[in-house]
Amino acid sequence: MLKRCYICNLKQKNIVMAIMITDECINCGACEPECPNNAIYEGGAEWKYSDGTTLKGIITTLDGEDILADKPFEPVDMDVYFIAHDKCTECVGFHDEPQCAAVCPVDCCVDDPNYRETEDELLAKKSFLHL
Ligand code: SF4
Ligand code: SF4
């Protein structure tokens, strides 16, 4: 019997995976300016909700935490570019496909099996980031 791959099954159920950058990244920087949410950072850089979004002052995150939008968070990776998951909408609401993956010359922007969000959740994240 022909089996459907599990990623296809998830997409059919409107469940998509977040994007992550692997260690194969060559630090070319091509993806960073393409991200509509400013979710991509150079290795070792602190990330903030306020970078490239309309968030400012005290915000309530989608996890229900009250924080300053300018609060710096630890880098996710010290050596290569990384994606701040809390700011990645997989380009939903902006583009038909993840722009980082589209421009990456070494195809190291891949699905992250640890994060799965529905399209509605991604649209809610987009609305949260861009009032
Ligand atoms: Fe940014 Fe889109 Fe890549 Fe997510 S998938 S990091 S929103 S360019
Ligand atoms: Fe790394 Fe690819 Fe982004 Fe270049 S485009 S910085 S190789 S993830």
Side-chain angles (χ1 to χ4, degrees):
M1 191 174 72
L2 190 64
K3 282 194 176 169
R4 208 170 160 68
C5 90
Y6 89 109
I7 292 176
C8 300
N9 280 333
L10 290 173
K11 285 186 173 160
Q12 198 176 37
K13 290 177 191 165
N14 241 2
I15 297 172
V16 283
M17 282 185 264
I19 304 293
M20 60 178 275
I21 294 174
T22 72
D23 291 347
E24 306 296 310
C25 171
I26 57 171
N27 287 320
C28 72
C31 55
E32 188 181 358
E34 302 301 326
C35 180
N37 299 317
N38 206 148
I40 302 174
Y41 291 82
E42 195 170 358
E46 294 177 328
W47 70 271
K48 298 174 188 168
Y49 277 103
S50 59
D51 292 334
T53 70
T54 56
L55 296 173
K56 56 187 175 188
I58 296 174
I59 60 168
T60 303
T61 68
L62 294 174
D63 295 331
E65 192 186 356
D66 291 333
I67 59 164
L68 277 172
D70 284 336
K71 177 185 174 180
F73 287 91
E74 293 285 306
V76 176
D77 197 296
M78 295 305 287
D79 301 319
V80 294
Y81 277 72
F82 66 86
I83 293 171
H85 168 257
D86 289 336
K87 294 177 73 181
C88 173
T89 60
E90 295 165 52
C91 288
V92 166
F94 293 101
H95 304 287
D96 290 340
E97 59 177 349
Q99 295 302 285
C100 50
V103 301
C104 181
V106 292
D107 294 332
C108 68
C109 301
V110 300
D111 288 331
D112 185 344
N114 292 319
Y115 291 105
R116 290 182 188 151
E117 294 163 294
T118 65
E119 190 146 345
D120 285 347
E121 287 170 333
L122 293 169
L123 282 170
K125 193 190 291 187
K126 182 204 173 222
S127 299
F128 162 68
L129 294 170
H130 306 278
L131 294 175

